[in-house]
Amino acid sequence: MKRFFPRSREDWFFCGTDSASLSIEDRSRCLKRSLLITMMLITMIPLCLTVGISFIQYRKLLQEETFINASWSAENARQTIEAYLERLQAAILVVSDAYTIQELVKPKTFGQIFLNLKAEHKGLVDLSLIGPDGTQLSYAGPYDLAGKNYSDSPWYNQALTRKVFVSEVFLGYRNIPHFVIAASKRNPDARGCWTLRASIDTETLDRFLSAVNNEAVDDIFLINEQGVLQSSSRYYGRVNSKVVLKIKPKKSGITMLTDQKGGQSAIRAIGYVRGTPWILVQDHQGYFHKKTWLSFRSQLALIFLICFVLSGAVAYRVATFLAASIRKSEESRELILQETEHTGKLASIGRLAAGVAHEINNPLAIINEKTGLMKDLLQQANDFPYREKFLAQLDSLENAVSRSRVITHRLLSFARRMEVKLERIALPEVIEEVLGFLDKGAAYRNITIEKFFHPNLPAIQSDRGQLQQIFLNIINNAIDAVGEGGEISISVQETARGTLQVDISDNGPGIAPEIAKNIFEPFFTTKKGKDQQGTGLGLSISYGIVKKLGGDITVNSEPGVGTTFSILFPAVTDNTEETGNDKN
């Protein structure tokens, strides 16, 4: 992985500006990295945009839904409280209208009225009848409040000015948080008004509020205009604790706002409870607490992770494949350039050898002529004492000149191999010429070369130089294959189909089948050892020449036994020759 990442930021994409100086391996690694990054960007940018837009849109939808649900829930709670209080107010008004003060001061009658009201309204604690001077005339309930005077109580004065009144929560004589619903009525027999009062504990409010609570409601409570709690709160404490509202609610309806609670966003719904001095406050959990939001977020993260992994895997495979393909093409191009350069060098060497051979032929001709002249002169000089000795030396000189001519003629023959010149050729003769180049090397390595040439073989119409190249490549490969003390056999025979078949066999290690099927491909070589280095062109060139000359070449090999190359050439019959002459 360390080699995969570049050393500088400029090299992240396409190897920077100095990619030409890098090796093929470094350029391939750089290209692979660039392709991987590019494909990841192409796939991840749309994926991130899609995931981000889905996240924002669904969150907005949940926020709107949460606001609507919170508003509806708060409105429902407010109406429930108002309905409860309206029923109590109606009951108090019915009693005050149905009875006179004289009837209500009777303890038995008053007590029965209280029992009837309490049976219908479970939260009712006690019932009081207060005279025009503020003194309590009748009382039904659990406390000892008989004769108490309420003329200084705020609720009493408010009740006298209104037909019915709901007070704030206060402690009063009983020293317990409660509120009262008081209805006043003018006394027709005397001056002033008498008041019928019903008391309800705050626990009744708490039970009411808890009844409207649900999973989405985090807290619900009542406060007055000064922010004093009128009911218990989960987070702000018990009655008479202080709560600060950022804004006041509207006179009608439910006011919605967002707030921070415990570092997380929460929704608060506030609204006045009609006919009371109370403000209903309902806190809701934010959308991020909802199961649907948590499930959506988890599924979105899972989808993103799966897409990221799949995209990364596909991008990596594609980048690896493309980089490997391009690297292979570059290596092939480099190899072709090297082989072209090598071929050019060989061609230059060939032309140099031809020039050298041509230049050597001239002094060899002079030496040969002078040697003949000297022999003629010695033949006439019978009295020369060293005549026989000089003739022997001149014969040796002529033999050396003759051998040198053979060598130069062979060099010239190979130098002219690219010029196609068809002629009648005897295959054994060409093979002998090739062996003349290789027999010394074979003898040095103690390699035995056996020849089996059938007699009276027909000739073929072919190019001598290219035939020499074919046999030189194959026999030279056989010599390399058998090594020290190996055996090579070369046979030429005429087949029944009128073709000449040349079999070149060796007892080398053989060729594996998976290698044999590629052996005629260009640049395919098994000579990669320290002592043997091949270009991979010899057999492919031989294959091409054989095909061009109208022949065929096959190979049969068995690992551990040896290899045989069979080359077929069409023989020249008399009819063929006549036909060829007619065409000429």
Side-chain angles (χ1 to χ4, degrees):
M1 291 297 293
K2 188 176 180 180
R3 299 180 60 192
F4 181 79
F5 294 103
R7 286 171 294 184
S8 63
R9 189 171 53 185
E10 290 76 11
D11 294 342
W12 269 100
F13 287 99
F14 302 103
C15 307
T17 57
D18 195 22
S19 59
S21 62
L22 299 177
S23 64
I24 293 178
E25 183 180 2
D26 290 338
R27 286 204 299 271
S28 175
R29 190 182 305 114
C30 179
L31 177 62
K32 178 180 176 182
R33 179 177 60 246
S34 302
L35 289 173
L36 179 60
I37 294 173
T38 303
M39 285 188 285
M40 286 299 293
L41 289 176
I42 292 174
T43 55
M44 293 310 299
I45 289 176
L47 177 62
C48 291
L49 289 176
T50 303
V51 170
I53 293 173
S54 300
F55 183 88
I56 294 172
Q57 291 294 329
Y58 192 70
R59 184 178 63 180
K60 182 180 179 182
L61 180 64
L62 282 182
Q63 285 177 327
E64 294 175 353
E65 181 184 350
T66 305
F67 261 79
I68 293 172
N69 290 338
S71 176
W72 176 85
S73 177
E75 182 64 30
N76 185 51
R78 187 179 71 168
Q79 290 179 0
T80 302
I81 297 172
E82 289 174 352
Y84 172 73
L85 295 175
E86 285 174 358
R87 287 198 301 274
L88 267 177
Q89 291 176 26
I92 298 299
L93 287 173
V94 167
V95 172
S96 63
D97 291 338
Y99 295 90
T100 63
I101 188 171
Q102 291 77 15
E103 292 172 332
L104 293 176
V105 295
K106 298 177 181 177
K108 184 177 181 181
T109 303
F110 199 76
Q112 186 60 46
I113 292 172
F114 171 67
L115 293 176
N116 292 337
L117 289 175
K118 188 172 180 60
E120 186 178 354
H121 305 282
K122 301 297 182 183
L124 187 63
V125 177
D126 59 15
L127 187 65
S128 301
L129 175 63
I130 301 170
D133 60 350
T135 303
Q136 186 165 253
L137 302 177
S138 296
Y139 176 78
Y143 301 104
D144 183 15
L145 300 176
K148 296 295 183 181
N149 190 286
Y150 297 97
S151 57
D152 295 333
S153 298
W155 65 266
Y156 177 71
N157 295 313
Q158 290 287 341
L160 293 177
T161 59
R162 304 180 187 180
K163 188 175 181 180
V164 62
F165 175 72
V166 179
S167 72
E168 295 181 358
V169 173
F170 61 99
L171 298 178
Y173 289 114
R174 68 192 67 177
N175 202 26
I176 295 175
H178 66 284
F179 68 96
V180 299
I181 298 175
S184 62
K185 186 175 182 180
R186 180 168 294 279
N187 187 358
D189 299 331
R191 296 180 61 183
C193 297
W194 55 272
T195 304
L196 187 62
R197 186 195 74 164
S199 301
I200 300 98
D201 287 343
T202 54
E203 294 178 355
T204 302
L205 285 177
D206 292 340
R207 288 195 297 271
F208 239 91
L209 295 174
S210 62
V212 300
N213 199 355
N214 55 46
E215 184 182 356
V217 176
D218 198 26
D219 195 7
I220 181 170
F221 51 90
L222 294 169
I223 60 174
N224 60 13
E225 286 283 354
Q226 292 73 38
V228 178
L229 275 174
Q230 304 294 291
S231 65
S232 300
S233 168
R234 179 182 300 176
Y235 297 104
Y236 297 102
R238 301 188 63 81
V239 175
N240 290 330
S241 298
K242 191 74 175 180
V243 177
V244 178
L245 289 181
K246 291 183 177 179
I247 61 172
K248 292 290 185 180
K250 298 177 182 177
K251 291 300 180 183
S252 60
I254 299 297
T255 302
M256 304 296 298
L257 64 149
T258 58
D259 198 0
Q260 292 293 322
K261 181 177 289 184
Q264 294 182 337
S265 177
I267 297 174
R268 170 163 287 181
I270 54 177
Y272 286 104
V273 180
R274 286 188 293 270
T276 71
W278 301 334
I279 297 173
L280 175 68
V281 181
Q282 194 177 68
D283 290 339
H284 284 252
Q285 295 175 343
Y287 64 90
F288 43 81
H289 288 294
K290 288 191 171 184
K291 293 181 179 178
T292 53
W293 170 249
L294 297 176
S295 175
F296 170 77
R297 197 171 58 180
S298 301
Q299 292 177 2
L300 194 64
L302 181 62
I303 291 173
F304 179 81
L305 181 62
I306 293 174
C307 292
F308 177 79
V309 172
L310 290 178
S311 301
V314 172
Y316 182 79
R317 291 296 301 271
V318 173
T320 302
F321 173 76
L322 292 177
S325 300
I326 294 174
R327 176 180 177 177
K328 187 176 181 181
S329 299
E330 286 197 357
E331 288 176 345
S332 299
R333 183 175 63 85
E334 290 286 336
L335 188 58
I336 291 173
L337 290 176
Q338 292 177 3
E339 293 301 331
T340 303
E341 183 181 359
H342 182 65
T343 303
K345 289 181 179 178
L346 291 178
S348 299
I349 293 173
R351 289 192 295 271
L352 178 63
V356 171
H358 181 74
E359 292 299 328
I360 289 177
N361 273 339
N362 291 332
L364 285 177
I366 295 172
I367 294 172
N368 190 47
E369 291 299 328
K370 296 299 181 184
T371 303
L373 178 60
M374 291 176 67
K375 288 180 69 175
D376 292 340
L377 293 174
L378 285 174
Q379 291 292 344
Q380 297 175 4
N382 296 326
D383 55 347
F384 185 63
Y386 303 103
R387 177 172 174 273
E388 294 301 327
K389 189 174 182 179
F390 265 78
L391 287 173
Q393 293 297 323
L394 290 174
D395 288 338
S396 299
L397 189 59
E398 283 182 338
N399 291 333
V401 171
S402 176
R403 181 170 177 79
S404 298
R405 277 182 173 175
V406 171
I407 295 172
T408 55
H409 286 167
R410 287 173 179 172
L411 287 175
L412 288 172
S413 177
F414 274 96
R416 292 194 300 266
R417 65 186 182 279
M418 298 305 296
E419 300 171 1
V420 178
K421 181 180 179 182
L422 298 179
E423 57 182 317
R424 288 178 63 90
I425 295 175
L427 279 177
E429 181 182 332
V430 177
I431 294 173
E432 290 288 359
E433 290 175 357
V434 172
L435 290 176
F437 282 100
L438 302 173
D439 55 357
K440 297 298 183 184
Y444 178 76
R445 298 170 64 181
N446 197 24
I447 296 173
T448 302
I449 300 178
E450 297 180 345
K451 297 171 283 185
F452 304 96
F453 301 152
H454 280 221
N456 302 322
L457 290 171
I460 64 171
Q461 193 78 11
S462 188
D463 182 273
R464 178 179 296 274
Q466 294 191 354
L467 286 177
Q468 288 174 336
Q469 187 171 359
I470 293 169
F471 295 129
L472 180 64
N473 288 334
I474 297 175
I475 297 173
N476 197 36
N477 284 343
I479 292 174
D480 291 338
V482 296
E484 188 76 21
E487 296 179 357
I488 298 172
S489 67
I490 303 172
S491 65
V492 182
Q493 59 182 338
E494 184 178 9
T495 65
R497 292 179 296 178
T499 58
L500 290 183
Q501 177 174 340
V502 181
D503 293 325
I504 302 173
S505 303
D506 64 71
N507 64 345
I511 305 172
E514 62 272 15
I515 296 176
K517 64 182 180 182
N518 299 318
I519 202 167
F520 293 116
E521 293 182 1
F523 308 115
F524 183 85
T525 179
T526 58
K527 298 179 180 179
K528 296 181 180 178
K530 185 177 180 180
D531 299 331
Q532 295 181 347
Q533 291 184 349
T535 62
L537 289 172
L539 288 179
S540 64
I541 292 174
S542 300
Y543 182 86
I545 294 174
V546 170
K547 291 294 184 181
K548 185 173 66 177
L549 296 177
D552 193 14
I553 180 170
T554 58
V555 59
N556 293 311
S557 183
E558 183 176 352
V561 177
T563 304
T564 299
F565 282 88
S566 299
I567 310 164
L568 299 176
F569 293 104
V572 177
T573 62
D574 293 340
N575 294 333
T576 303
E577 186 176 11
E578 291 174 359
T579 303
N581 292 335
D582 293 342
K583 289 182 180 179
N584 293 332

